[in-house]
């Protein structure tokens, strides 16, 4: 519903701005530019969607191998003790634990197709322990915020788009995204813990959070000691080693479990082809809306206004071109994706703005969409502090993405 209003606004605002340019500034080309933008961006959306087919097919094939090889189950077991401490109101052996852990593990691996059904199942199971059926329980809010924080290890879709748009190394945003989404998740967790008076100073919780925080802090500190070129070399080498090691681990685990690795790859790869075709109308719709908004000059006015405000307080404005992605992200995943593609088209996939937009896109998830789908599936109308905590996590992830962008790419 939110995306519906945003899409309508793109066209109405573009029309009003174009009329003002025509009437008051005698810009006789403005409406021609608007119509040309509809054709150009529709063509761009179609070409990008088709170009995604190969890479998306490859990665979804590999993800299917990981799924059948037991990677999701292994990660679920690893985070089990932590989960039991952050859901104190949920009975110890409640069936929701299994679904929640599988959902989070699938999200971390970029397995959206597996994560969403698991998430909906978990929400329904959590509803069985909810005394007020129209009001979100503490456990449901915690689970939802962990989802909206978007904790991701492998940002498959973003790497796929970067590859299609000509990035010299599509995986160069791997480490920045992993770090940014960690900050988003931790801040979201703390926000919910404060609202629900959950004691995070538990030995198990502190072991997980403290260990991860020390590791992330050490990574950032180590990188801060290097110059820009060394950071680029180290981050690219590390990202590609980790990614290929994960691929090999998927294959080895599947082979050990006597899974037909090749057939599993083909099964997942078929999904990749159909998904690439399926996204064509969605990508064209959002890109055409952005295209007319930009062609009318409305996007320029918005960006210049933000840049002026940021410059007035003495901050660097190089990242401002990526802010439309950040502003759209809590509202609409496909809208934010369109903004990211637009930023990379305009500035280049390997530009500072293009990389920042990609990092922002992967730093957090779409709060309002997830709330609507997950809570709507069980009839919850009163969301309590879910929206506030989700947006706090979004803000932390976006700020972290921008700051890490300066560290890695500035």
């Amino acid at each position: 519903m939110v995306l519906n209003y945003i899409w309508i606004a793109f066209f109405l605002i573009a029309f009003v701005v174009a009329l003002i340019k025509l009437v008051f500034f005698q810009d006789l080309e403005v409406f021609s530019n608007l119509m040309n933008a509809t054709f150009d961006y529709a063509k761009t959306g179609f070409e990008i969607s088709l170009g995604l087919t190969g890479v998306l097919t490859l990665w979804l094939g590999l993800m299917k191998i990981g799924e059948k090889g037991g990677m999701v189950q292994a990660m679920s077991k690893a985070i089990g003790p932590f989960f039991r401490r952050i859901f104190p109101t949920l009975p110890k052996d409640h069936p929701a634990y299994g679904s929640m852990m599988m959902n989070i593990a699938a999200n971390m691996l970029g397995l959206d197709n597996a994560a969403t059904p698991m998430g909906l199942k978990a929400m329904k199971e959590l509803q069985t322990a909810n005394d007020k059926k129209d009001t979100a329980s503490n456990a449901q809010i915690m689970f939802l915020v962990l989802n909206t924080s978007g904790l991701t290890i492998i940002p498959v879709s973003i790497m796929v788009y970067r590859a299609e748009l000509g990035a010299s190394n599509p995986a160069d945003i791997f480490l920045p995204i992993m770090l940014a989404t960690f900050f988003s998740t931790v801040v979201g967790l703390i926000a919910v813990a404060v609202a629900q008076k959950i004691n995070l100073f538990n030995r198990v919780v502190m072991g997980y959070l403290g260990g991860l925080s020390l590791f992330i802090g050490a990574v950032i500190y180590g990188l801060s000691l290097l110059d820009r070129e060394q950071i680029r070399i180290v981050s690219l080498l590390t990202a590609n080693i980790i990614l290929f090691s994960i691929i090999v681990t998927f294959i080895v685990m599947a082979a050990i479990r006597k899974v037909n690795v090749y057939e599993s790859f083909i099964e997942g790869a078929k999904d990749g082809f159909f998904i690439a075709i399926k996204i064509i109308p969605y990508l064209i719709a959002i890109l055409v809306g952005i295209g007319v908004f930009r062609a009318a000059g409305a996007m320029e006015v918005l960006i210049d206004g933000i840049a002026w405000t940021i410059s007035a307080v003495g901050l660097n404005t190089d990242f401002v071109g990526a802010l439309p992605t950040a502003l759209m992200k809590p509202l609409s995943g496909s809208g934010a994706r369109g903004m990211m593609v637009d930023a990379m088209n305009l500035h280049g996939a390997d530009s500072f703005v293009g990389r920042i937009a990609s990092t922002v896109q992967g730093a957090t998830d779409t709060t309002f969409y997830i709330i609507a789908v997950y809570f709507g599936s069980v009839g919850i109308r009163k969301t309590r502090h879910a929206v506030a905590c989700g947006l706090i996590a979004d803000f932390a992830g976006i700020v972290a993405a921008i700051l890490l962008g300066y560290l890695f790419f500035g």
Side-chain angles (χ1 to χ4, degrees), residues 365-376:
D365 215 324
T366 311
T367 295
F368 288 101
Y369 172 79
I370 290 175
I371 286 176
V373 171
Y374 278 38
F375 282 171

Side-chain angles (χ1 to χ4, degrees), residues 117-198:
M118 290 289 184
L120 293 174
K121 182 182 178 184
M123 191 60 69
K124 289 179 180 178
E125 289 169 344
L126 288 169
Q127 185 72 339
T128 63
N130 184 8
D131 295 331
K132 298 180 180 179
K133 300 302 182 184
D134 66 340
T135 303
S137 68
N138 284 353
Q140 287 172 318
I141 292 172
M142 175 63 83
F143 174 61
L144 185 131
V145 172
L146 289 177
N147 267 269
T148 64
S149 68
L151 184 60
T152 305
I153 293 177
I154 310 177
V156 173
S157 62
I158 298 171
M159 293 192 296
V160 166
Y161 277 103
R162 287 184 56 74
E164 172 57 22
L165 291 167
S168 58
N169 193 317
D172 59 3
I173 44 76
F174 172 78
L175 280 180
I177 287 178
M178 187 173 69
L179 296 172
T181 193
F182 168 78
F183 285 113
S184 173
T185 301
V186 170
V187 170
L189 174 63
I190 293 172
V192 176
V194 170
Q196 298 181 1
K197 297 180 173 57
I198 297 173

Side-chain angles (χ1 to χ4, degrees), residues 150 155 158-159 162 171-181 184 322 325-326 329 340 344 349 351-365 397-406 408-409:
I158 298 171
M159 293 192 296
R162 287 184 56 74
D172 59 3
I173 44 76
F174 172 78
L175 280 180
I177 287 178
M178 187 173 69
L179 296 172
T181 193
S184 173
T325 305
K329 187 63 182 178
M340 175 189 71
M344 287 194 282
S351 66
F352 181 71
V353 168
R355 284 166 165 155
I356 289 280
S358 300
T359 307
V360 166
Q361 175 71 4
T364 185
D365 215 324
I398 290 167
V399 170
I402 293 170
L403 294 177
L404 288 164
Y406 277 94
F408 280 86
F409 312 120

Side-chain angles (χ1 to χ4, degrees), residues 6 39 69 72 83 110 143 169 191 200 202 249 273 298 307 316 332 335 381:
I6 292 171
F39 296 121
V72 172
F83 259 50
F143 174 61
N169 193 317
L200 294 181
N202 175 285
T249 301
F273 176 80
N316 182 281
S332 165
R381 295 182 293 105

